Amino acid sequence: LVVSASSDATCKVWDAESGALIQTLTAHFEPVNSLCALALQDGKVLVASASDDRGIVLFDPAKEFEVAQHIAGAHEGPVYTVCGLPRRNSGDLVASGSFDGTAKVWDPTTGLIVSTLTHRSGQRVVAVCGLRLADGRGLLATGCDDNSIRLFDSERFQHVVSLTGHSRSPRALQGVQTASGDLLLVSGSQDSEIKLWEIGVDMTTSKDKQEASKDAVVTAHSHAVTALCGVQTLDGSELLASGSGDNTLKLWDARTGASCGTLEGHSLGITTVQALELTDRGTVVVTGSRDETIRVFDVNKKSLIQSIPAYSGQTNGLCCVRKLGLILFSSDQDVTVWDVAAAKAKMVLKGHGDEVRAVCGFVQADNSLTVISGSGREWSPTDCSVRVFNGQTGKEVLCLRGHDKKVNAVCTLTLPNDVLVASGADDRNVMIWDLASGKRRATLSGHNNAVDCLVAIESPGQKPLLASASRFDSVRVWNPLSGEIIHVCDSATPLDSRNAMRVLLSAHGRQPLVAVATRDNTVDVIEPESGRVVSRTVFPGTSPIAVAALADGSLAVGCANGRTTAFDVVDGGPSPPARQPA
């Protein structure tokens, strides 16, 4: 097959032998500038497209070019170029270059950003090319309007070398393997010249680079850290559990950063990590993965307890009900209520007409369970509803309709005499519902992109607040009772990650704070009522993806380079890591 991209905003699929048009792909709404093929670890092949609409779309040829991932708002300017980036012993990543002056690297299986790379000049990145060295490692070559070419390694995304010689911007880059096994980079420029550059393994093994990476300890994950949670052990100590795209769950001492073990079992990357207390075992860790299973691990015995199939793989499609020892998870259009102690499904809740994307549980004062779930599809959704189920009988109690695009997040807010439900969706809105009557209390509008994450901010004696995060847009804090917006945190531009925002209690006064992993390689801790940035921590050369609050009020951050850092939040300035990073 041949796939072509056009300024008419379409991609077309052709039969290479007959020349017949097979299919027209219409995922973009502005000119499509670039295409590339990606080889994934599981043997699948995807086609990536980049467009002036600032988005990247990944198509699956095995499923009639169905959209596998749509990274909307990937850049702040038109996306000019896209390529596959090889890695040693792993599948390709996606690299993109934009008129916003950055190159970005993405995980094609999750759509999450891995790293943001810049040229010092800040000028447009007009060409990207993935190269594979003789030892299996990958390099990313980027061409910029400052006339330079920069090489970055695909493991730590560090700048390796700059190639200069063109007098105008290099608009085309291509890797070539010679008959003798040498790797060449060919660059074509607006200066009308084509240059050949010899790329050697020794480019990435200079003494300076080796010394600069000595802090990379062997216990770090080999892929991005995608989810975190704090775990209490039977002896009262606190561990930090980190899940990663390397398929493993790692345990760390939250105070010292020392490794406490690696738990394996998943065959693909972990997307969510949650803790659950059981009366007979103490705390267990529940993980969801792209391999469409849920695993339950005993952190005291460092062993796998259960493997639960038929999980949809959505990060928000899993919720642990700590009081009752239950796991709620989505499986296509259903929600399963799983009893961990009995190791079996308690019931399956049916009613949604589209994929269930979000689920949460609310335990009433009498210990009865209410389950709330939201649904929808990326393209042509037919059921963008929020549904409420009785967790004892399995019957649907309410169907809440108002969103016209897929629902990504749901949560509850507890009032003195009432309970509210909040839902966030691709229609950029947050809706507030009365759990008892099903009436819509408010529609909170203002986000410029899909709402991916909601967290309730509740503190004794204080009015409840709601924080909403929109991918590549902002964090907004609302009064859910009046619908009034309290503060817009424009500086906090979250990544497309449902683990990128959490509420934590400050060490001083225990007032709630909101921690947000942002796309400019920082984690901001925000005072929700004032919008004041309490602290800002920078992670040079890598993107923070997941944050977690620990019991002592400190913060854990997992990054794209596979490292996890725990530190105390210091009011008034940057927060230097106070513990050994893992």
Side-chain angles (χ1 to χ4, degrees):
L1 299 178
V2 174
V3 185
S4 59
S6 169
S7 59
D8 65 6
T10 70
C11 301
K12 293 185 182 292
V13 183
W14 311 84
D15 186 306
E17 293 185 356
S18 66
L21 175 63
I22 298 174
Q23 194 173 351
T24 299
L25 311 178
T26 57
H28 291 288
F29 56 87
E30 294 285 350
V32 184
N33 300 314
S34 180
L35 292 169
C36 74
L38 310 169
L40 304 188
Q41 190 172 13
D42 57 7
K44 287 179 60 176
V45 174
L46 298 179
V47 174
S49 60
S51 168
D52 277 359
D53 63 15
R54 306 184 181 186
I56 299 168
V57 177
L58 305 180
F59 300 96
D60 188 344
K63 296 182 179 180
E64 298 182 345
F65 286 87
E66 174 185 299
V67 174
Q69 293 287 344
H70 186 181
I71 309 173
H75 286 270
E76 294 181 359
V79 188
Y80 191 77
T81 179
V82 68
C83 74
L85 176 58
R87 292 180 295 171
R88 181 161 44 190
N89 303 321
S90 188
D92 290 351
L93 297 172
V94 184
S96 56
S98 168
F99 283 13
D100 66 7
T102 68
K104 295 187 178 183
V105 182
W106 311 84
D107 185 327
T109 58
T110 65
L112 296 179
I113 192 167
V114 175
S115 187
T116 299
L117 312 172
T118 59
H119 283 247
R120 291 178 180 175
S121 65
Q123 296 189 43
R124 301 183 302 181
V125 177
V126 292
V128 291
C129 176
L131 306 169
R132 187 182 295 277
L133 295 168
D135 61 3
R137 287 179 297 156
L139 290 177
L140 177 65
T142 62
C144 180
D145 271 354
D146 64 5
N147 307 339
S148 72
I149 300 167
R150 287 165 71 89
L151 298 183
F152 300 85
D153 75 78
S154 65
E155 302 297 326
R156 300 190 174 280
F157 305 103
Q158 294 175 336
H159 174 229
V160 176
V161 70
S162 292
L163 309 177
T164 58
H166 284 293
S167 59
R168 297 187 66 184
S169 62
R171 292 297 180 102
L173 299 173
Q174 180 64 50
V176 176
Q177 198 85 33
T178 67
S180 61
D182 295 330
L183 176 63
L184 300 179
L185 175 65
V186 184
S187 60
S189 167
Q190 288 186 317
D191 62 11
S192 303
E193 292 185 347
I194 296 174
K195 294 183 181 292
L196 277 68
W197 313 83
E198 186 173 353
I199 309 299
V201 172
D202 58 349
M203 276 186 169
T204 62
T205 56
S206 68
K207 181 179 179 181
D208 290 343
K209 294 301 176 185
Q210 288 177 347
E211 290 179 351
S213 61
K214 277 182 180 176
D215 62 343
V217 298
V218 296
T219 50
H221 285 286
S222 60
H223 289 66
V225 177
T226 52
L228 297 168
C229 78
V231 183
Q232 295 289 330
T233 61
L234 289 174
D235 62 7
S237 61
E238 185 171 25
L239 299 180
L240 177 64
S242 61
S244 168
D246 64 9
N247 312 344
T248 66
L249 177 75
K250 290 182 181 288
L251 301 175
W252 317 89
D253 186 303
R255 295 304 309 174
T256 66
S259 175
C260 298
T262 299
L263 304 176
E264 299 181 341
H266 285 293
S267 59
L268 291 175
I270 293 173
T271 57
T272 185
V273 177
Q274 297 184 31
L276 182 65
E277 288 85 18
L278 301 178
T279 54
D280 59 336
R281 288 182 178 270
T283 304
V284 298
V285 173
V286 180
T287 58
S289 166
R290 291 189 295 103
D291 65 11
E292 299 186 347
T293 68
I294 294 171
R295 310 267 172 165
V296 182
F297 295 93
D298 186 323
V299 296
N300 296 292
K301 296 183 178 179
K302 310 292 190 301
S303 62
L304 175 66
I305 302 172
Q306 295 172 26
S307 179
I308 309 167
Y311 171 60
S312 70
Q314 299 299 324
T315 305
N316 267 23
L318 186 150
C319 174
C320 289
V321 185
R322 296 194 174 197
K323 286 186 178 180
L324 305 180
L326 301 175
I327 304 172
L328 312 177
F329 61 90
S330 58
S331 180
D332 295 327
Q333 299 177 6
D334 303 331
V335 177
T336 298
V337 181
W338 186 272
D339 188 324
V340 177
K344 65 179 182 181
K346 186 177 181 180
M347 63 183 66
V348 177
L349 310 177
K350 297 180 178 290
H352 285 285
D354 266 343
E355 297 175 6
V356 176
R357 316 288 295 194
V359 62
C360 75
F362 176 74
V363 180
Q364 308 277 0
D366 60 358
N367 271 351
S368 61
L369 174 66
T370 299
V371 179
I372 302 104
S373 53
S375 64
R377 287 183 298 185
E378 190 81 35
W379 301 102
S380 303
T382 59
D383 179 17
C384 301
S385 66
V386 177
R387 296 177 188 256
V388 181
F389 297 90
N390 183 311
Q392 281 61 245
T393 65
K395 292 183 178 180
E396 182 180 312
V397 179
L398 295 169
C399 179
L400 312 177
R401 296 190 182 276
H403 293 291
D404 58 13
K405 292 187 178 180
K406 69 178 174 71
V407 179
N408 299 314
V410 291
C411 75
T412 59
L413 299 103
T414 305
L415 307 180
N417 301 306
D418 208 353
V419 178
L420 301 180
V421 173
S423 56
D426 271 7
D427 60 12
R428 307 178 184 182
N429 293 322
V430 177
M431 295 187 179
I432 307 296
W433 314 84
D434 187 299
L435 183 59
S437 66
K439 292 182 179 179
R440 192 195 312 176
R441 289 274 195 96
T443 298
L444 313 180
S445 301
H447 281 295
N448 297 313
N449 216 325
V451 179
D452 283 323
C453 184
L454 298 171
V455 293
I457 306 170
E458 298 173 329
S459 182
Q462 303 292 323
K463 64 181 180 183
L465 299 176
L466 178 71
S468 59
S470 174
R471 70 186 75 155
F472 308 115
D473 175 27
S474 63
V475 170
R476 293 171 182 255
V477 181
W478 314 83
N479 180 336
L481 301 177
S482 65
E484 173 193 4
I485 188 163
I486 304 297
H487 198 79
V488 179
C489 308
D490 285 320
S491 62
T493 48
L495 301 170
D496 182 11
S497 169
R498 293 165 177 84
N499 296 317
M501 181 172 69
R502 290 291 183 266
V503 172
L504 67 152
L505 295 174
S506 71
H508 307 290
R510 312 299 290 175
Q511 75 269 22
L513 301 171
V514 177
V516 187
T518 76
R519 62 177 172 176
D520 57 358
N521 295 0
T522 69
V523 171
D524 286 349
V525 177
I526 302 164
E527 193 174 70
E529 288 221 43
S530 66
R532 182 175 69 92
V533 177
V534 174
S535 73
R536 174 167 291 163
T537 306
V538 180
F539 294 81
T542 188
S543 298
I545 291 177
V547 295
L550 301 181
D552 63 357
S554 58
L555 184 65
V557 179
C559 294
N561 63 359
R563 296 174 65 82
T564 301
T565 303
F567 55 86
D568 297 317
V569 175
V570 180
D571 197 341
S575 304
R579 304 167 200 173
Q580 178 69 29

